[in-house]
Amino acid sequence: MTYNFDEQIDRSNTHTVKYDLRKAYFGKEDVLPMWVADMDFRTPGFVTDAVKKRAEHEIYGYTIRPDEFQKAIISWLDKRHGWQVMKNWIGYSPGAVPAVTMALLANTQPGDKVIVQPPVYFPFFGAVKDNGRQLVYNQLKNENGHYRIDFEDMKAKIDKRTRMLILCNPHNPVGRSWTKEELKQLSEICIENDLFLISDDLHNDLILPGNKYYPVVQHFPKMAERTITVMAPSKTFNLAGLTTSFVVIPDEKLKNRYDQMLENYHLYIGNLFGTEALIAAYRHGEDWLEQLLEYLQANVDYMDEFLQTYIPQIKMVKPEATYLAWLDCSGLGLNDEGLRKFMIHKAGLGFSHGSTFGPGGEQFQRVNFACPRSTVEMAMEKLRKAI
Ligand SMILES: Cc1ncc(COP(=O)(O)O)c(C=O)c1O
């Protein structure tokens, strides 16, 4: 079956962050919204069918997760990534950020230092700071458009108060899917310094052709006793509004501490539609996902060629994963605020502003290209005209 990713679907007035919060976020309605990370593609039919079937029952009371929930996750992780996960390693979360926060609270004390790697998904900053932990930046190195982890800086910043590192694998916004070698070095540093690792692997299924995703614990079993891996079908199948994520924690003590947090906050009940959607997505989603990845890669190729041909001042950091492009706009010669205003007011584009992702994000824009090609074309034309 061939799926149609070209279809333009009107999402306005559906209480949608990406469309209905434009005024609040950009200060005006008429920007082409390519910011918050969900897709403008229809959620696949095998998922909507499962949700509709459940909706037809018409009683939406408290719910439990059936064995099928864990079974679907286990078979998906094995099929897609060759990672064999045990049922009792799987824990629930209503979202990836709540999972990161609960894992952080369960394994650190106020005042402890937690390392993050900016430019990175910025809610990590709040998860650390707003809970009284100290935020430590281990900024990624940008070497001619290729991002690397600065291991020397990481080692230099670790001291007795450092307890944890939050990894984003694959990395939002720079699009790296970290190699086995990079993860090996990172794991060794965690072990040597007795650090816990939260690995936010939310984009792990969105691996663009020619690249590979390596779950840390699968490849470095010694990390099992200190790693919490956060996952979900939400990015892959466009289900973020169904608030259903999960964690993989092989270590029993770590898992118990996580589950206790879930219990403390009374977050274990879950979303009944999210449960049905996860099961359907992981049971039937492979063919759809393969076609999605091809389509996303073609969007990347289109943007890259367009920028090189017409707007060489802007350079795209080619993503290995995710549906987020990271554009280096330093060639435009604008200051940070000038760049923000230029994109919104001159070009009419609702991109994510680079500096919100922390140090190293200045002069960049993040573009969500999980949308029909015609939207990408429109965005590129708007940019060319504005310049
Ligand atoms: C790396 C990463 N983690 C977490 C999230 C948010 O996940 P959730 O909505 O499940 O909290 C996002 C969303 O963009 C993300 O990119």
Side-chain angles (χ1 to χ4, degrees):
M1 185 170 177
T2 301
Y3 297 98
N4 178 13
F5 297 103
D6 283 327
E7 185 185 353
Q8 284 284 354
I9 301 170
D10 183 6
R11 296 182 67 189
S12 53
N13 303 313
T14 56
H15 313 304
T16 299
V17 170
K18 196 192 263 177
Y19 286 78
D20 296 326
L21 283 189
R22 278 179 289 187
K23 180 99 173 83
Y25 193 78
F26 298 103
K28 63 195 274 231
E29 298 281 2
D30 60 336
V31 290
L32 188 62
M34 299 173 85
W35 56 305
V36 72
D38 67 20
M39 306 200 273
D40 285 343
F41 304 130
R42 195 183 293 290
T43 302
F46 46 87
V47 174
T48 54
D49 285 350
V51 170
K52 282 182 206 164
K53 186 164 169 239
R54 182 62 188 84
E56 272 166 15
H57 185 268
E58 298 180 355
I59 296 180
Y60 308 143
Y62 290 121
T63 181
I64 55 166
R65 280 172 292 284
D67 281 351
E68 273 305 301
F69 184 84
Q70 286 95 351
K71 280 189 189 157
I73 292 171
I74 290 167
S75 98
W76 180 259
L77 292 179
D78 190 16
K79 264 190 305 200
R80 295 301 297 180
H81 309 297
W83 188 17
Q84 272 121 40
V85 161
M86 309 293 288
K87 187 177 168 198
N88 60 341
W89 299 358
I90 299 170
Y92 169 74
S93 174
V97 176
V100 167
T101 306
M102 285 188 283
L104 181 122
L105 290 175
N107 296 293
T108 60
Q109 296 298 322
D112 283 349
K113 292 185 177 173
V114 178
I115 300 177
V116 298
Q117 301 181 299
V120 72
Y121 181 62
F122 51 84
F124 293 168
F125 308 152
V128 176
K129 284 194 296 191
D130 299 345
N131 288 296
R133 276 66 173 166
Q134 299 185 60
L135 188 63
V136 177
Y137 289 135
N138 167 227
Q139 193 178 324
L140 298 176
K141 275 206 250 185
N142 177 1
E143 293 174 351
N144 292 323
H146 187 75
Y147 279 85
R148 292 187 194 287
I149 295 174
D150 189 341
F151 289 109
E152 289 314 309
D153 177 70
M154 183 189 287
K155 284 190 254 180
K157 290 200 171 139
I158 295 173
D159 64 20
K160 283 199 183 110
R161 279 311 311 244
T162 317
R163 293 298 293 139
M164 179 174 267
L165 189 145
I166 306 179
L167 175 74
C168 194
N169 180 31
H171 191 98
N172 168 10
V174 309
R176 283 295 318 277
S177 188
W178 303 111
T179 62
K180 215 166 147 180
E181 185 48 44
E182 287 167 317
L183 295 173
K184 180 167 180 273
Q185 281 194 60
L186 184 135
S187 298
E188 283 168 359
I189 293 174
C190 287
I191 292 169
E192 269 163 34
N193 295 282
D194 196 17
L195 303 185
F196 290 110
L197 178 72
I198 297 179
S199 193
D200 179 334
D201 294 15
L202 211 59
H203 297 264
N204 70 335
D205 290 316
L206 297 165
I207 305 298
L208 296 168
N211 299 287
K212 189 164 162 50
Y213 155 70
Y214 298 95
V216 169
V217 173
Q218 179 192 2
H219 293 279
F220 306 101
K222 281 192 185 152
M223 287 297 286
E225 66 190 53
R226 57 183 72 250
T227 303
I228 297 104
T229 306
V230 179
M231 298 176 147
S234 53
K235 298 287 157 196
T236 320
F237 295 100
N238 213 16
L239 312 174
L242 294 179
T243 58
T244 300
S245 303
F246 61 96
V247 290
V248 180
I249 311 176
D251 184 81
E252 198 183 336
K253 269 199 246 145
L254 268 187
K255 174 71 167 35
N256 287 343
R257 286 211 289 269
Y258 176 87
D259 285 343
Q260 187 61 52
M261 275 294 152
L262 197 68
E263 182 118 1
N264 291 353
Y265 289 102
H266 222 270
L267 288 172
Y268 49 83
I269 293 293
N271 179 317
L272 69 89
F273 296 113
T275 299
E276 301 301 328
L278 178 144
I279 294 168
Y282 284 165
R283 281 273 177 255
H284 308 294
E286 280 214 280
D287 186 33
W288 185 87
L289 174 56
E290 288 302 333
Q291 292 184 34
L292 169 75
L293 293 173
E294 257 179 54
Y295 194 90
L296 292 175
Q297 182 63 53
N299 276 356
V300 172
D301 295 342
Y302 176 86
M303 271 193 292
D304 194 35
E305 200 182 322
F306 191 99
L307 291 171
Q308 286 190 39
T309 310
Y310 301 109
I311 320 176
Q313 307 92 308
I314 297 181
K315 293 190 171 31
M316 180 167 70
V317 174
K318 270 200 156 188
E320 298 167 350
T322 77
Y323 47 66
L324 307 164
W326 190 233
L327 302 187
D328 180 348
C329 302
S330 54
L332 295 180
L334 299 168
N335 65 24
D336 204 50
E337 183 53 14
L339 176 62
R340 197 185 67 81
K341 285 191 173 146
F342 174 85
M343 288 299 172
I344 298 170
H345 298 288
K346 190 108 199 241
L349 289 167
F351 294 161
S352 299
H353 191 54
S355 53
T356 54
F357 297 89
E362 309 83 2
Q363 299 295 334
F364 280 82
Q365 296 281 295
R366 191 193 74 174
V367 183
N368 177 345
F369 58 85
C371 53
R373 184 84 24 83
S374 52
T375 305
V376 176
E377 287 168 4
M378 212 186 306
M380 290 296 106
E381 278 306 334
K382 277 171 167 284
L383 201 49
R384 171 158 70 161
K385 255 198 196 149
I387 284 168

